[in-house]
Amino acid sequence: MNGQDKDGLSRKTVAKKKLFIKSYGCQMNVYDAGRMADVMAPLGFDLVDTPNGADLVILNTCHIREKAAEKVFSDLGRLRPIKEAKANDGGRMMVAVAGCVAQAEGAELMARAPIVDMVVGPQAYHRLPEMVAKVERQAGRQIDTDFPVEPKFDFLPAPRASGPAVFVSIQEGCDKFCTFCVVPYTRGAEYSRPARDILAEVRRLASQGAREFTLLGQNVNAYHGEGPDGRDWGLGRLVRAVAEIEGVARIRYTTSHPRDVDDDLIAAHREVSTLTPFIHLPVQSGSDRILQAMNRGHTTAQYLAIIDRLRAAREDMVFSSDFIVGFPGETEADYQATMDLIDRVGFVQAYSFKYSPRPGTPAAGMGAQVAEDEKSRRLIALQGRLTQIQTTFNDSCLGREMDVLFDRPGRHPGQVVGRSPWMQPIHVTAPDMVLGSMARVQVVKTSPNSLAGTVIPGSVVPGANVGDFSRRESA
Ligand code: 5AD
Ligand code: SF4
């Protein structure tokens, strides 16, 4: 279809189409959903917040969580009548399954679910437009779950700032092979983007008004990319370079592995004031026996030594973690060792899971699997303890002043929500506050999950009001 611009120039216009993406799981997946939306935008696909009437539905799956494949099949079941309704109206709804379940179970998905038109693994998103075009031309169903040698980043369009807080993917994949985990099989080997590309992306996003940058990777502190000087850069070196870019007010990174916390990263925490004093550093268990069976490659004492060194680098440092209870062979004593570790570190936030066997991983075949009700009991007690610690930490913030980056409208008129340097959501009533602004806030109220405060007069550094927030909430 050809149209006329206001200036009279003829240009190609693309018919508008609706794209619905459902993302499951981790931040890496949320980031990937954004990139899929970016890659489809030039073809006229706009994000919508319901699958009803959509031209393309992407289920962006995650394999880490329990019953991942079943959830995908039940969502596919729900999509069937919607796809049929669209066909009855003379339209066509394409269905793509992306992400880690696609990678691991692509062939089975194609065989079991005729509703699926495309299966695309995490390394092949740049080929989505081509796959969509082929399906549109009735060239048959498409599957692409190869691990190409060339990195996918080179083929994806530059992301746009979706708001003041953005993610920048710097590393993908994992070579660690924890015995419970599918990531090394679904995301492939570790790969680090060249620092030059990352810095260019940060500069572009900062110029669009982004202020908080979360450097993202499955094993983010295993980052070893080529520096602009041709040398190998680790995460500490990269963080220092990101910190120098104009507009960068806050830097975070996730998810890191204890084994890859090196001296230079610790030094960066001492030197770079914009690096947040909050680290997500999964430990999984506090029992050395279980850590060994998990192939984590460190002991509890080594983990605690890292925590001490990070705290010595920055005294206001807090930690969050991931825990698995009921790993095969976990005794009551092993579990108590995890509870002791939680008390010693005082994690202010955590994700915790019952162990669930993943086909093909070594732990799935181990003896002494723990009974389901026992896992539940351990998980509930562990989560109770973590909630207590989080509440105590939030309560300790009462009366304190902290820097807040406002990145969301609140639920009530005139309310804006931001985050503290320790990742706590903090609400203020400030009708004139522009999103992306930073301000000093005094905490006047605390609750287990969030804080409320008042803005210190004269402290507001106005932001660029970047991002379409209605879209962000629904993505
Ligand atoms: N069972 C339970 N939890 C798991 N995780 C990964 N694999 C499994 C599994 N098989 C958890 C780990 C990891 C987080 C992302 O998911 O705690 O750090
Ligand atoms: Fe999975 Fe372990 Fe790699 Fe993390 S470090 S992605 S838990 S294998």
Side-chain angles (χ1 to χ4, degrees), residues 3-13:
Q4 292 275 308
D5 258 347
K6 271 199 280 251
D7 56 10
L9 291 174
S10 177
R11 76 189 156 84
K12 198 159 186 270
T13 51

Side-chain angles (χ1 to χ4, degrees), residues 26 62-66 178-183 255 280 282-284 294 296 321-325 327 351-358 361 363:
C26 66
C62 169
H63 209 258
I64 286 189
R65 302 286 182 261
E66 214 173 353
C178 300
T179 53
F180 53 80
C181 183
V182 288
V183 166
T255 296
H280 183 60
V283 65
Q284 316 295 355
M294 287 176 163
R296 292 290 292 175
S321 190
D322 292 348
F323 295 96
I324 296 177
V325 296
F327 185 82
Y351 301 95
S352 46
F353 311 93
K354 290 192 272 188
Y355 170 71
S356 102
R358 293 283 171 274
T361 57

